[in-house]
Amino acid sequence: MLHALLHSIIRSATGRFSRVLATIAMGVAMLLIVLAVQLQANFQSLLNSPANKDSIANFLVIHQSSDLLQKSSKGLSPETIADLRKQDFTESVGIIESSRFKAGIESPSELFPFYTDIAFEAVADSFLDIRPEQWQWTEESRFIPLIVPNLFLDIYNFQFALSQGLPQLSTSAIQQVPLVVKIETPAGAIKYTGRIVGFSDRIASVLVPQSFMQWANHAFGNGNNNQVSRVVLRTKDPGNPALSNYLKEHGLKTDADKTRFSKYRKIVDIVAGTAGAIGLILLLFALLVFSLFIRITIATAKSDIELLLTLGLSPKALSRFLMRKFFPVQLILMCLIILLLTAGQYSLSQWLASQQINLPAYPAPMTLLCAAAVLLVIFFTNRQSIQNYVHKHVQQ
C-alpha cells in the first residue's frame, strides 16, 4: 500500500519528456564507451589472436634505405644493430650473413638444364619458418641443403619455364632434382652436391645452414667485406607505430605490407579515443541530468514524501525505493546495449569470416568489464544523490 502510494507520488512528480531525454543521453553515453572498448579489442584480436597471427608477419627483414647505401656504401653498422636490439618493440634480432665467395649452381639433368651464379645467405635456425630434417651440415659433409623462397618457384614456373620451354615443376618435384654447387676458390672450383629441401616465405634469398656459411666464408671468403647488410627482426606487433617511426627516422626499410597495420592503428586509436572521450563526456552530462532529475523529483514531491515520513516511512526505506525506481532503468538500458553490441559483433564476425578474417563472435571480456564498471559508477552516483537529497532536504 505504501509502495503503491510512493509510485503514484513519484510518477506524478516526474516529467516524462525530461526522463526520456535523460535516458537517451545515458544510453548514448553507455553505447559510445563500450563501443570504443570493443573497437580496440577487435583491433587487438586482428593483430594478435592465434587465429589471425601470421608467423611470417612477425619477422621483418630490415636493411638500409637504398638512398643511404648510395651515399655511404655501407650496410648496417654494429651500433645500429645494437640500438635496434634495445627497442621496446624488439624481441630478438638475427644477423643475416651473406656469402663472401663466388658460387654457382647447375642441374646435371638433361631434362632440366640450367646454370646460374648465386649468392647464399644464412641466419640462425630460430629465425627460420621451416626446419627440414636435412637442414644440417658438418665439415665432413659433401651435401649442402638449400631453402629457397616460394616466390622463386612461382617466377620459374610462370615466367622462366614458359619462356624457355622448360618443364614446370611442383614443390615436391623440384626437391627431387639434384644440384651441383660450385664454389670458386684460389685453388680452383670445388663442387658439392646440393638439393632444395624447403621453401620459405620469410626470407627472400637462397639460404644455406649457418654452420656451412661460417665455415665457407672463413675458408674461401673475401675478408675485406664483413659488413652486415640485412637483419631479421622478431617483434610481437609489426603494426606498432613506434616500429614504423623508428625505421623511418633511422633510414631503415622493410616490407611495407607487414607494417601497414601501424597506419590503421593510428586511425583506430583516433576513432576509439574520440568515441571514448565523447562517451565519457556524455556520461558525465547524463549523470548530472539524472542527478538533477532525482533532485527535482524529490523536491516536487517533497510535501507528500514528508507526510509519508510523518506516517512512519523511514528515510532509509525511501532511499531504497528511489534506487529501485531509477537504477533498474539504467541497468535494463545497459543490458539492451550489450545485446545490441553482441548482435553487431556476431554479424561482423560472420561477414569477416567470409573474407578469411577471424574475429570473436561475441564482445570481449574487457568490454563486459567496462559495462559493469560504468554501471557501478551510475549506481553509486545515483545512491549518493538520493541519500544527499533525502537526508538534507526531506528531513528538514
Side-chain angles (χ1 to χ4, degrees), residues 2-12 321 325:
L2 191 58
H3 277 198
L5 187 56
L6 273 172
H7 272 295
S8 177
I9 292 172
I10 296 300
R11 188 182 300 114
S12 62
F321 170 80
K325 182 70 179 176

Side-chain angles (χ1 to χ4, degrees), residues 214-228:
Q214 292 173 347
W215 174 84
N217 273 341
H218 178 74
F220 313 124
N222 180 354
N224 296 327
N225 182 14
N226 295 323
Q227 192 69 48
V228 175

Side-chain angles (χ1 to χ4, degrees), residues 305-359:
I305 292 174
E306 283 178 340
L307 178 60
L308 292 175
L309 290 171
T310 304
L311 295 175
L313 177 66
S314 67
K316 192 173 181 180
L318 177 59
S319 297
R320 285 201 300 267
F321 170 80
L322 291 174
M323 279 298 294
R324 288 197 295 270
K325 182 70 179 176
F326 295 113
F327 184 69
V329 176
Q330 297 154 342
L331 179 62
I332 293 172
L333 193 60
M334 180 59 88
C335 291
L336 289 176
I337 289 171
I338 293 298
L339 287 176
L340 180 65
L341 188 68
T342 302
Q345 180 75 13
Y346 183 80
S347 301
L348 181 63
S349 69
Q350 295 301 305
W351 180 75
L352 289 177
S354 66
Q355 311 296 319
Q356 308 300 318
I357 300 174
N358 296 304
L359 204 64

Side-chain angles (χ1 to χ4, degrees), residues 99-327:
S99 57
R100 299 194 295 274
F101 49 83
K102 290 185 177 181
I105 56 174
E106 63 180 328
S107 167
S109 171
E110 294 182 356
L111 297 176
F112 185 57
F114 80 92
Y115 172 86
T116 182
D117 291 334
I118 197 76
F120 300 118
E121 287 189 317
V123 70
D125 291 355
S126 59
F127 290 91
L128 296 175
D129 52 338
I130 59 171
R131 305 285 182 84
E133 293 182 358
Q134 306 93 331
W135 192 248
Q136 52 190 338
W137 186 88
T138 63
E139 292 187 23
E140 294 76 25
S141 176
R142 302 298 298 175
F143 170 73
I144 303 175
L146 306 173
I147 294 177
V148 300
N150 276 305
L151 181 62
F152 277 21
L153 184 60
D154 292 340
I155 292 175
Y156 169 78
N157 277 331
F158 304 115
Q159 295 181 17
F160 187 76
L162 292 177
S163 65
Q164 302 296 318
L166 295 172
Q168 292 177 299
L169 299 172
S170 65
T171 54
S172 58
I174 201 169
Q175 290 186 60
Q176 305 304 317
V177 176
L179 301 171
V180 175
V181 179
K182 185 186 296 184
I183 298 177
E184 300 292 339
T185 74
I190 298 178
K191 292 184 178 180
Y192 292 85
T193 300
R195 187 162 54 83
I196 295 172
V197 297
F199 297 87
S200 171
D201 287 313
R202 185 175 293 172
I203 301 175
S205 62
V206 179
L207 298 173
V208 294
Q210 194 176 34
S211 55
F212 169 75
M213 181 64 78
Q214 292 173 347
W215 174 84
N217 273 341
H218 178 74
F220 313 124
N222 180 354
N224 296 327
N225 182 14
N226 295 323
Q227 192 69 48
V228 175
S229 59
R230 302 195 300 169
V231 295
V232 184
L233 169 70
R234 180 174 182 171
T235 177
K236 288 183 179 178
D237 184 4
N240 188 344
L243 170 58
S244 296
N245 292 335
Y246 180 88
L247 296 180
K248 186 176 180 181
E249 290 171 359
H250 291 76
L252 302 175
K253 302 285 287 185
T254 187
D255 186 349
D257 191 52
K258 294 182 179 179
T259 57
R260 68 188 185 281
F261 278 111
S262 64
K263 300 176 183 175
Y264 302 152
R265 170 170 291 186
K266 292 178 183 176
I267 297 173
V268 171
D269 286 344
I270 292 173
V271 172
T274 303
I278 293 175
L280 285 174
I281 293 172
L282 282 178
L283 180 64
L284 291 176
F285 275 107
L287 289 173
L288 180 61
V289 169
F290 255 95
S291 178
L292 290 174
F293 180 73
I294 292 170
R295 183 191 303 182
I296 292 172
T297 300
I298 296 173
T300 305
K302 181 178 178 180
S303 58
D304 295 323
I305 292 174
E306 283 178 340
L307 178 60
L308 292 175
L309 290 171
T310 304
L311 295 175
L313 177 66
S314 67
K316 192 173 181 180
L318 177 59
S319 297
R320 285 201 300 267
F321 170 80
L322 291 174
M323 279 298 294
R324 288 197 295 270
K325 182 70 179 176
F326 295 113
F327 184 69

